[in-house]
Structures are given as structure tokens and as C-alpha cells.
């Protein structure tokens, strides 16, 4: 029996997103929390050699760091399939960012209010590339709580950049962040390219 085009199952739209931000803000944690497949990780042990280079304040128990990327996948309804690429946070691995950013619809810049300035380089990077991004403040226990408007001001973000609170360990929270990013990124595209 022949099927017309409308009978064919609709394929979800594949979207590439980046999870970026400074060292130890919870990028690997977020990709792992939301991914529906076993996430790919490229963690290496932090050694004494990073003392004085990597700022471990607030994440003193952190034993490993991403050296290449995280990868995960999550579907949003039957419309979208999001492919998530977590970036390495340490500056010495930043050469990987250009490769990871290619073809990405947008980026989440994760921030930690104890080290807010650490997300400046990520914000600069996506502004320069013209990649749509949002800022998600990962709420660590004991971290100072700021109004979102204060975070926006501190980061000198444009009015149109969404800023929201999240818990990188929780699936629903991560999903909300990703949906906010997809909506924001599509909102910035000329209508003709939105399918
Ligand atoms: N309390 C708390 N701990 C968190 C949260 N998110 C991450 N962590 C912890 O913080 C540490 C850093 O998390 P990672 O996910 O490795 O951070 P990352 O941004 O991938 O780090 P790099 O790849 O080294 O830049 C880990 O020990 C996590 O368990 C959070 O929302 N709350
Ligand atoms: Mg990581």
C-alpha cells in the first residue's frame, strides 16, 4: 500500500545547543541531568598542577573537569530533538569552542553567583559570534541570591537576553532552560528561516 507524504511519520527537528559557562558552574551536571541517552563525558582528574590556576572556590569537592566536551540528547515533544554539547570550562581548552559552536542554534551560559565574572568570557564569545544565548543562574546552596535584574545589570546584558534561575541537577529545571533558549533563538531568526 502506498502512503502519501502526509502519512509519513513526522521527524523531529534536530537542533544543536551549547551548554557553556565558566569553570565548575555545572555544565556537565546539566547535560547529564536532562539527557535521555547516557551522556558522553570527557572528564579528567584535576591534579595538583591546577592549583593556583583553576578557581575551586565553592566547588572544593570537584575532582574532575571536562577536557573536550559533554554530549547528550533530549526530545521536546515530538517536534524537536535537542543535541546538547557541553563545553570545557577551563580556558586552556577553549580552542575546542569554535568546533563545538559551529552550527549551534544557541547557547546556555551557566553562571554561579559566587563567581559571576567567570561567565563574562562566554557572554563575550557568543555576542561576538552572533550566537543567540540566554543566561541560567545555577543555584548552589549558600551562594548569594540576587534578583535576576541585578544579574542582568552586573553582566551588562541587553534587555532581550533571558536570564533565569535553575538547578543544574534537576531534569525539569534543565528542560525549562533549554525550552527558553529554543524560544529565544527562534525569536531572533528571520521568520523565513523558522520551519
Ligand atoms: N550544590 C550544587 N552542586 C552542583 C550543582 N551543579 C553542579 N554541582 C556540583 O558542582 C561541581 C561542578 O559541576 P560540573 O558539572 O562538573 O561543572 P562543569 O561546569 O562541567 O565543570 P568544568 O567542566 O570543569 O568546567 C560538581 O561537583 C557538581 O556535583 C548545583 O546546582 N548545586
Ligand atoms: Mg564539565
Amino acid at each position: 500500500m502506498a502512503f502519501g507524504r502526509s502519512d509519513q511519520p513526522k521527524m523531529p527537528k534536530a537542533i544543536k545547543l551549547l551548554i557553556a559557562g565558566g569553570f565548575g558552574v555545572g555544565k556537565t551536571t546539566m547535560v547529564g541531568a536532562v539527557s535521555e541517552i547516557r551522556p558522553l563525558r570527557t572528564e579528567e582528574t584535576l591534579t595538583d598542577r591546577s592549583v593556583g590556576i583553576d578557581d575551586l572556590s565553592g566547588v572544593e569537592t570537584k575532582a574532575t573537569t571536562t577536557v573536550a566536551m559533554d554530549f547528550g540528547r533530549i526530545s521536546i515533544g515530538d517536534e524537536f530533538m535537542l543535541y546538547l554539547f557541553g563545553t570545557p570550562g577551563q580556558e586552556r581548552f577553549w580552542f575546542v569552542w569554535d568546533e563545538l559552536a559551529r552550527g549551534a542554534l544557541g547557547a546556555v551560559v551557566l553562571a554561579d553567583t559566587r563567581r559571576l565574572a567567570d561567565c563574562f568570557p562566554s557572554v563575550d564569545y557568543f555576542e561576538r559570534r552572533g550566537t543567540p544565548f540566554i543566561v541560567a543562574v545555577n543555584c548552589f546552596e549558600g551562594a548569594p541570591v540576587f534578583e535576576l535584574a541585578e544579574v542582568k545589570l552586573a553582566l551588562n546584558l541587553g534587555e532581550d537576553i533571558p536570564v533565569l534561575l535553575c538547578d543544574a541537577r534537576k531534569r525539569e529545571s534543565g528542560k525549562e532552560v533549554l525550552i527558553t533558549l529554543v524560544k529565544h533563538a527562534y525569536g531572533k531568526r528571520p521568520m523565513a528561516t523558522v520551519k
Side-chain angles (χ1 to χ4, degrees):
M1 191 164 91
F3 288 96
R5 282 189 71 82
S6 57
D7 298 326
Q8 287 170 358
K10 198 169 156 243
M11 294 297 285
K13 189 171 170 53
I15 292 178
K16 177 181 183 180
L17 299 177
L18 297 182
I19 312 296
F23 173 65
V25 285
K27 303 177 292 293
T28 300
T29 304
M30 178 175 273
V31 173
V34 298
S35 184
E36 290 161 350
I37 56 169
R38 192 153 72 93
L40 170 82
R41 291 181 175 155
T42 58
E43 297 287 291
E44 287 294 338
T45 311
L46 280 166
T47 65
D48 291 350
R49 288 191 170 207
S50 75
V51 174
I53 299 171
D54 302 325
D55 180 6
L56 278 170
S57 51
V59 283
E60 288 82 359
T61 55
K62 188 168 164 55
T64 62
T65 189
T66 304
V67 293
M69 61 180 240
D70 305 300
F71 176 73
R73 197 189 71 191
I74 176 176
S75 52
I76 303 290
D78 52 11
E79 208 179 337
F80 297 112
M81 184 65 80
L82 309 184
Y83 293 89
L84 309 176
F85 291 77
T87 61
Q90 293 172 291
E91 281 182 32
R92 56 188 174 279
F93 298 123
W94 271 34
F95 59 89
V96 183
W97 281 47
D98 289 339
E99 282 302 322
L100 292 181
R102 197 163 297 149
L105 175 77
V108 174
V109 174
L110 268 183
D112 176 350
T113 54
R114 295 165 303 183
R115 297 172 294 143
L116 204 53
D118 286 8
C119 73
F120 281 140
S122 308
V123 168
D124 282 349
Y125 181 84
F126 295 118
E127 275 179 348
R128 256 186 292 118
R129 274 188 79 96
T131 305
F133 68 94
I134 66 168
V135 173
V137 178
N138 188 16
C139 303
F140 286 81
E141 295 89 11
V145 181
F146 294 112
E147 295 285 330
L148 291 177
E150 289 179 289
V151 174
K152 214 167 199 174
L153 201 65
L155 295 177
N156 198 17
L157 296 174
E159 260 312 301
D160 64 320
I161 310 280
V163 180
L164 70 167
L165 301 176
C166 73
D167 186 330
R169 300 164 299 179
K170 301 209 169 110
R171 186 155 197 275
E172 280 312 308
S173 176
K175 215 168 152 179
E176 187 196 346
V177 169
L178 298 173
I179 291 170
T180 304
L181 172 60
V182 171
K183 283 185 181 162
H184 173 64
Y186 271 140
K188 289 186 86 71
R189 286 191 157 196
M191 280 319 284
T193 65
V194 180
K195 294 245 168 59

